[in-house]
Amino acid sequence: MNIVLFNNDLRISDHQPLTEAARAGEVLPVYVFEPSQWKETPLSARHFQFVVESLEELSQSIEEKGGKLLVAIDELETVLGKLLDTYDSINLFAHNDNRLKDKVGGWAKQNQQLLFSFGSDLENISVKLFNNRLNSYLKEPIAEVPNRIDVPSKIPDFLFADFKKLNNFRVKGSKIRFGQQGGEMKAIETLDSFLEGRFTNYIENQQKPLPSSLSSSRLSAYITWGNISVRTIYQKTDEKLQACELEEDKIQLAEFLSKLTARVNICSMKIEHQQLGDVREIKREWNEEWFQRWLQGRTGIPIIDAAMRSLDKTGWMNFSLRAMVTSFFANTLLLDEQKLSAALAELYLDYEPAVHDFYIQQQSGMKGKMKIIDPVKIGRQLDPDGTFIRRYIPELSKLPDGYIHEPWLYPAFYQLGYEAPMVDVKKAYKNARLQHQAIEKKGKSGRKKEEGQTEQLSFDI
Ligand SMILES: Cc1cc2nc3c(=O)[nH]c(=O)nc-3n(C[C@H](O)[C@H](O)[C@H](O)COP(=O)(O)OP(=O)(O)OC[C@H]3O[C@@H](n4cnc5c(N)ncnc54)[C@H](O)[C@@H]3O)c2cc1C
C-alpha cells in the first residue's frame, strides 16, 4: 500500500510525495496527531486550529480527486505499525522534514519497508554546494497535482475522516480570533495580494509595526505549515520580478527573496544550544511576576505591552518587535531566555523551531553580540506617533502624543487605568549595562578570547 504521510506540507500543489504515490497506484493519505508532540513542544491551541483548518481544506481537495484524507491520533511509530499489520507491506511517501526523517526513517529501516522521501537535501554541506542545490531546487518544475487519487478498498478502523473527532484532543493555550486562517487557498491569496501590490513598500515599512503587517508578505505561517511551497513562492515572485518595470519594485522583491532563502538556510543549519562567551557570566534571576506581566502585556512600558498584546491577538509580529521583546526580556531584565523562548513559541503562529531558536539565541546574546535595549528609545524609533500603541492599549488611546512612550510622566497618569511600569526602565537599563561592562572589562584584561567567539558585546545606548 502507498501511504503519503503529511506533516508540515499541508497542501495538494507542489506535493511531490502525493504526486509520486498517486502514480504508483492506490493511495492512503494520512495525517498523524501525536499526543507527545503536542504535549512536549510549544505547539499550542492556535497552531492546532491552523492545522485543522489546513487539513479541512486539504481533505476537500483530495476528495475532489477521488481520494480520502485520513487522520490518526497516536504516536507515529504505533500508527505505522498498525498500517503494516493491515497491509502486510507499505511504501511510505513523505517530504524529508525533521520530524519524519528521524522517526519514519528509523522505523522504515527497522521494519524493512520502503520510504521515498522528497525535498531539497541541504543539510551539512558546504556553502557552495548549498547555493547550487538550493538554486536548482527552487527552479525545478513544480510537482503536478495528481489527476486522480485512488482510495484503497480496505481502510483500518483506527483512521478517521471526520474532523469533529478532533474536538476531544486537548492542547494547551487558547485559540485566536483575529489571526490568519490556515489552508492552501489562503496561502495563495496572501502571496497573490503581496505580488499584486502590497510589496511596493516592503523595505520602507519593514520595521514599522502597523504598516509592516500590510506590506510584508505575511506568508510565514503558511510556509511553516506548508500550505504553500517555498519553490512556488520563489517562482511566482521571480516571474513578477522579471516583469517589473520599475527598478524600485525589483529591489523590494529581491529583498523579499533574500529573506525567503535566509529561512531555508537557517532551517538547514544545525543549531547548537550553547551559550558563548560573556553572556554566560551574567547573573540571571527568575522573577515570575515580571514574566507574567511581560507575557500578558502589562509591564507598564507601552511599546512592549502593545507588541505582546498584538502577538496574543494575531499570532504575528514583525522582526523588529520580535527582536525587541526578546532583547528586553533577556538582556535588559536579565531573565532566563529558555522560558521566554517557549512562551513566545506558543504564541507565534509561524513557529518554526530552527528559525525561532536561531533568533532567540542571536537576540539574547548567545552568539556573542548582545544588545541591551532601552524600550522607550526603541518605542520612539519604531512607533513615533504611537499609532500602534494606541491600537493595542486602549487605556492610552486618548493620551497626548508627548506622553505616549512614557505615560507615567503624564500628570493624570493614575486616571488612565494603565499599569505603572514594573521596573524603572532607566535603572534596569543601567544595571544591565553595568553588568555587561564589568564582564567585558574582565574579559579584556584577563581572559583570552574563547574559541568561536568572534564578536564583542555591543551596546545600544
Ligand atoms: C526572536 C525571533 C523569532 C523568530 N521566529 C520565527 C519563527 O518561528 N518562524 C518564522 O518564520 N520566522 C521567525 N522569525 C523571523 C521573522 O521575524 C519572520 O519570518 C517574519 O516576521 C515573518 O513575517 P512575513 O512572512 O511577513 O515575512 P517577510 O518579510 O514577508 O519574509 C518572507 C518570508 O521569509 C522568511 N523570513 C523573513 N524574515 C526572515 C528572517 N529574518 N530570517 C529568516 N527567515 C525570514 C519567512 O518565512 C517569511 O515568511 C523570528 C525572528 C525573531 C527576531
Side-chain angles (χ1 to χ4, degrees):
M1 177 52 56
N2 303 307
I3 308 220
V4 176
L5 287 174
F6 280 93
N7 188 34
N8 296 340
D9 49 2
L10 304 177
R11 61 175 182 274
I12 194 166
S13 311
D14 197 23
H15 197 293
Q16 217 175 338
L18 182 63
T19 307
E20 298 299 334
R23 272 193 197 133
E26 289 180 343
V27 182
L28 195 70
V30 175
Y31 183 87
V32 181
F33 282 97
E34 283 190 286
S36 65
Q37 195 202 12
W38 289 86
K39 201 168 167 203
E40 289 156 19
T41 70
L43 292 183
S44 68
R46 58 184 59 193
H47 302 121
F48 184 75
Q49 180 184 8
F50 197 91
V51 170
V52 174
E53 285 159 0
S54 305
L55 288 175
E56 280 169 349
E57 194 191 314
L58 180 62
S59 162
Q60 217 178 334
S61 309
I62 289 178
E63 243 168 65
E64 280 163 18
K65 300 286 170 193
K68 193 171 196 173
L69 175 67
L70 292 143
V71 175
I73 302 180
D74 211 332
E75 297 309 306
L76 201 46
E77 292 91 339
T78 313
V79 171
L80 294 174
K82 286 183 183 172
L83 288 170
L84 186 56
D85 288 346
T86 310
Y87 297 112
D88 293 335
S89 106
I90 54 179
N91 300 327
L92 298 164
F93 293 77
H95 277 113
N96 57 356
D97 65 26
N98 285 338
R99 174 183 168 216
L100 295 186
K101 207 165 15 188
D102 293 349
K103 291 199 175 180
V104 182
W107 184 91
K109 209 168 169 187
Q110 209 179 355
N111 291 278
Q112 297 176 336
Q113 302 301 305
L114 288 177
L115 166 64
F116 300 96
S117 63
F118 302 85
S120 52
D121 190 5
L122 297 169
E123 279 173 39
N124 304 323
I125 50 175
S126 68
V127 176
K128 195 171 163 205
L129 198 54
F130 174 90
N131 288 334
N132 288 343
R133 279 198 197 162
L134 178 61
N135 244 322
S136 45
Y137 171 74
L138 292 173
K139 288 176 184 160
E140 266 171 26
I142 301 286
E144 277 173 35
V145 176
N147 288 331
R148 262 205 75 71
I149 300 173
D150 293 322
V151 195
S153 49
K154 186 162 76 171
I155 295 177
D157 289 346
F158 73 93
L159 295 176
F160 59 90
D162 179 4
F163 289 98
K164 284 199 200 90
K165 290 200 176 154
L166 291 170
N167 291 345
N168 298 329
F169 193 74
R170 291 280 152 255
V171 187
K172 61 188 162 302
S174 53
K175 293 183 177 177
I176 29 178
R177 283 171 52 209
F178 307 105
Q180 291 173 289
Q181 208 186 326
E184 194 167 350
M185 296 258 282
K186 292 276 177 214
I188 295 166
E189 273 171 25
T190 305
L191 174 62
D192 287 349
S193 69
F194 178 67
L195 295 179
E196 274 157 22
R198 288 196 293 114
F199 78 90
T200 49
N201 293 317
Y202 178 72
I203 296 173
E204 189 195 328
N205 290 344
Q206 235 167 17
Q207 298 201 326
K208 301 176 186 167
L210 286 179
S212 64
S213 68
L214 283 176
S215 62
S216 80
S217 75
R218 304 297 310 274
L219 282 165
S220 52
Y222 298 114
I223 298 174
T224 291
W225 300 103
N227 289 157
I228 190 164
S229 72
V230 167
R231 186 158 60 179
T232 304
I233 301 174
Y234 179 87
Q235 293 187 8
K236 280 197 169 189
T237 307
D238 192 47
E239 199 180 303
K240 172 77 185 182
L241 194 150
Q242 304 304 334
C244 282
E245 285 174 6
L246 295 175
E247 193 53 31
E248 190 50 36
D249 286 351
K250 290 186 183 202
I251 294 171
Q252 312 288 327
L253 291 178
E255 174 71 9
F256 165 72
L257 286 181
S258 80
K259 292 275 161 55
L260 196 64
T261 48
R263 181 191 202 278
V264 181
N265 196 348
I266 293 171
C267 288
S268 66
M269 288 178 190
K270 200 166 182 290
I271 311 279
E272 309 242 328
H273 288 266
Q274 59 168 27
Q275 298 193 339
L276 283 179
D278 298 334
V279 75
R280 273 186 310 209
E281 297 185 29
I282 287 169
K283 261 196 271 154
R284 295 185 188 275
E285 275 161 27
W286 188 247
N287 185 323
E288 183 64 23
E289 191 203 334
W290 281 2
F291 171 64
Q292 290 300 337
R293 286 184 63 171
W294 168 85
L295 191 59
Q296 292 162 17
R298 295 192 301 109
T299 64
I301 302 157
I303 191 71
I304 302 284
D305 290 349
M308 292 305 290
R309 290 186 198 186
S310 80
L311 174 60
D312 181 48
K313 274 212 166 113
T314 67
W316 184 84
M317 285 199 289
N318 72 20
F319 185 93
S320 304
L321 292 178
R322 295 184 202 219
M324 176 191 73
V325 296
T326 304
S327 174
F328 174 68
F329 188 96
N331 309 339
T332 308
L333 297 180
L334 301 174
L335 296 176
D336 173 28
E337 82 291 333
Q338 294 287 333
K339 232 174 156 176
L340 151 116
S341 173
L344 286 175
E346 267 189 41
L347 296 170
Y348 290 134
L349 205 47
D350 60 21
Y351 168 53
E352 158 57 54
V355 182
H356 182 76
D357 290 357
F358 177 88
Y359 284 116
I360 291 285
Q361 291 194 21
Q362 184 192 70
Q363 296 302 322
S364 55
M366 283 191 273
K367 291 182 189 299
K369 186 167 181 173
M370 183 158 201
K371 268 198 169 182
I372 305 167
I373 64 149
D374 174 346
V376 173
K377 188 182 153 201
I378 296 275
R380 287 205 177 96
Q381 279 166 13
L382 297 180
D383 186 31
D385 58 3
T387 317
F388 174 64
I389 291 175
R390 287 192 178 85
R391 162 81 67 94
Y392 286 102
I393 311 182
E395 304 94 293
L396 302 182
S397 60
K398 299 209 168 70
L399 194 65
D401 282 3
Y403 294 100
I404 198 74
H405 293 284
E406 293 177 288
W408 52 89
L409 299 179
Y410 183 57
F413 173 70
Y414 288 100
Q415 285 163 21
L416 295 174
Y418 181 59
E419 309 267 350
M422 68 183 196
V423 288
D424 180 325
V425 178
K426 288 206 164 60
K427 268 194 195 155
Y429 176 61
K430 213 166 152 185
N431 171 43
R433 266 189 60 207
L434 285 175
Q435 272 219 44
H436 289 298
Q437 276 169 343
I439 292 167
E440 194 189 31
K441 219 167 163 184
K442 199 168 117 198
K444 267 187 195 152
S445 62
R447 221 163 4 96
K448 270 203 210 152
K449 202 179 230 180
E450 287 169 44
E451 222 179 295
Q453 184 191 349
T454 51
E455 288 173 293
Q456 294 273 320
L457 296 178
S458 80
F459 301 110
D460 177 30
I461 303 172

